[in-house]
Amino acid sequence: MLKGKKIILGVTGGIAAYKIPLLLRLLTKANAGVRVVMTTAAAQFTTPETLAALSRNEVVVDIFPKQGSVIKSETWHVMLGQWADAMLIAPATANTLAKLAYGYADNAVTMLALALRCPLILAPAMDVDMWNHPATQQNLTKLREYGYFILPPEIGELASGLVGEGRMPEVETLRDRVDAILERSYQDMRGKKILVTAGPTYEALDPVRFIGNRSSGKMGFALAQAASLRGADVTLISGPVHVETPRNVKRIDVESAEQMHNAVMKHRKHQDSIIMAAAVADYAPATVAAHKIKKEEMKQGWYAVLKKTPDILESLGAKKGKTILVGFALETTNDVKNATAKLKTKNLDFIILNNALQEGAGFGSDTNIVSIIPRNGKTIRLPKMPKFDVANAILDRVFNKG
Ligand SMILES: Cc1cc2nc3c(=O)[nH]c(=O)nc-3n(C[C@H](O)[C@H](O)[C@H](O)COP(=O)(O)O)c2cc1C
């Protein structure tokens, strides 16, 4: 994938910057065109001259081009932002992660990162305590929500002499990850229309109380993000969640199972695939009180009668046509048997099984462990992976892309 690709290498002031000339060599050897931007702190660890020689291009350190600079345009950041196929910031310091999380544009790297139109990949590297600091971890959560790719640091001996998480992966690993991300964002789903549902539903008991579930929406949002990056036209119908909408995704917010049912049925036509990752309530209070129920009214305890909610998968399965229908099954017991039964009774093409009780899987987690069960063919059991990678694996299977 790297051949002929245009890569921006952003270098910030971490000790691992000494490895960047080697990474640059690997990228140019793979016939990628590379432009380097760096911070003034990075220039303490590796020289702009080395990187200019290896990239055969002027390196941008100063946001205001100097007299005689070959970077003629004053708006070089806009020009490079539109030119690139991907930008990798390696090493990404704690300082730069914080700036990116808050939209700073005060140096060549952060300014260009804001003006990009292509995937941004971050390779954080720092001391273990800087990495574990809640501020850094919160910034990373924000950056993931913006749709940036984080290449996690490795555990090992650090420059400080401490041992722990924070080491930048080897340059070969970085090159391979950039290659894989370029492949993922290579628009192989252009022209496809996909509807994804995500998050929980809330079923009102009265104007302030509801029955809900613990779904965070992360799996559905990862699916929407992955499909959108691959060029699909994505509509995302979401229950109440606190997750940032991925770029270029049309989001429709709903609250109850009934609202989700209506929204899905309204948008189901002409979709190549509908992926139901939402955790939709099966039951909702039969009546909703018009006022907030007072304690005094329920002295003997509150006995609510629940009614069945509309079954979205069943409604879709009945009118499926050519749409590839994908359901999720979250089980805690008898998983494969229950999931396979659901696949058949609801007329689905695939069911994605996850077990809520497994460590690193299910609600809230950033990772998931799933099995992809097709109507025809072999079940694929995937190891624990980031939800974004799980999303791509599901899309690969659904659209038969290896
Ligand atoms: C010797 C030395 C090594 C450093 N290594 C790192 C590092 O590996 N990761 C990091 O986040 N910061 C590191 N720092 C701190 C950054 O250089 C500092 O936060 C700087 O402001 C980063 O600027 P930049 O993000 O604009 O490049 C180091 C500082 C020194 C003096």
Side-chain angles (χ1 to χ4, degrees), residues 12-15 39 41-42 45 93-96 107 125-126 130:
T12 66
I15 199 93
T39 62
F45 296 92
T93 58
N95 177 56
T96 294
N107 64 38
M126 62 200 72
M130 291 174 94

Side-chain angles (χ1 to χ4, degrees), residues 70-325:
V70 291
I71 300 155
K72 300 233 170 43
S73 168
E74 295 291 339
T75 52
W76 61 269
H77 58 301
V78 177
M79 189 259 293
L80 283 184
Q82 293 181 11
W83 168 84
D85 293 310
M87 176 174 182
L88 166 67
I89 303 184
T93 58
N95 177 56
T96 294
L97 296 180
K99 286 183 178 179
L100 292 173
Y102 287 91
Y104 279 55
D106 65 342
N107 64 38
V109 174
T110 53
M111 187 167 141
L112 181 49
L114 270 192
L116 277 189
R117 288 201 177 167
C118 61
L120 176 60
I121 308 160
L122 304 169
M126 62 200 72
D127 180 63
V128 57
D129 296 300
M130 291 174 94
W131 173 255
N132 285 333
H133 196 287
T136 304
Q137 290 303 317
Q138 256 181 39
N139 291 334
L140 285 162
T141 303
K142 255 179 175 267
L143 296 168
R144 277 192 200 98
E145 286 173 8
Y146 295 159
Y148 299 162
F149 296 86
I150 316 285
L151 309 184
E154 293 174 352
I155 299 170
E157 195 175 326
L158 305 168
S160 58
L162 295 174
V163 175
E165 205 170 355
R167 239 166 74 121
M168 192 173 80
E170 291 308 325
V171 288
E172 289 80 6
T173 311
L174 293 182
R175 175 201 55 197
D176 293 348
R177 290 297 290 158
V178 173
D179 192 78
I181 289 167
L182 275 170
E183 194 178 326
R184 291 298 184 209
S185 46
Y186 197 54
Q187 308 288 299
D188 64 343
M189 288 175 60
R190 192 179 281 266
K192 299 272 182 233
K193 274 179 72 89
I194 299 186
L195 177 65
V196 180
T197 66
T201 60
Y202 286 179
E203 310 303 329
L205 280 157
D206 69 16
V208 296
R209 301 185 182 93
F210 60 85
I211 300 175
N213 62 65
R214 297 183 198 279
S215 170
S216 63
K218 285 180 181 171
M219 191 62 241
F221 276 62
L223 276 158
Q225 183 195 18
S228 167
L229 275 170
R230 291 170 73 165
D233 173 357
V234 184
T235 304
L236 173 65
I237 299 177
S238 177
V241 294
H242 302 282
V243 192
E244 210 72 36
T245 313
R247 267 209 252 175
N248 301 324
V249 166
K250 286 183 256 66
R251 173 168 166 181
I252 297 161
D253 285 316
V254 296
E255 202 170 279
S256 66
E258 193 171 343
Q259 287 169 0
M260 188 168 279
H261 179 270
N262 295 345
V264 170
M265 296 320 273
K266 186 172 164 193
H267 293 275
R268 77 180 171 83
K269 282 198 190 125
H270 313 299
Q271 300 289 347
D272 292 290
S273 178
I274 301 178
I275 308 182
M276 288 283 304
V280 184
D282 295 321
Y283 293 91
T287 52
V288 183
H291 63 278
K292 184 186 166 203
I293 300 288
K294 296 241 183 303
K295 251 192 211 168
E296 303 75 58
E297 294 176 63
M298 298 292 176
K299 279 207 178 101
Q300 307 304 320
W302 187 342
Y303 299 94
V305 175
L306 303 182
K307 62 172 187 199
K308 263 185 94 81
T309 56
D311 189 326
I312 307 177
L313 276 179
E314 204 171 272
S315 306
L316 288 172
K319 305 181 176 171
K320 195 168 105 55
K322 284 197 180 128
T323 307
I324 306 167
L325 215 51

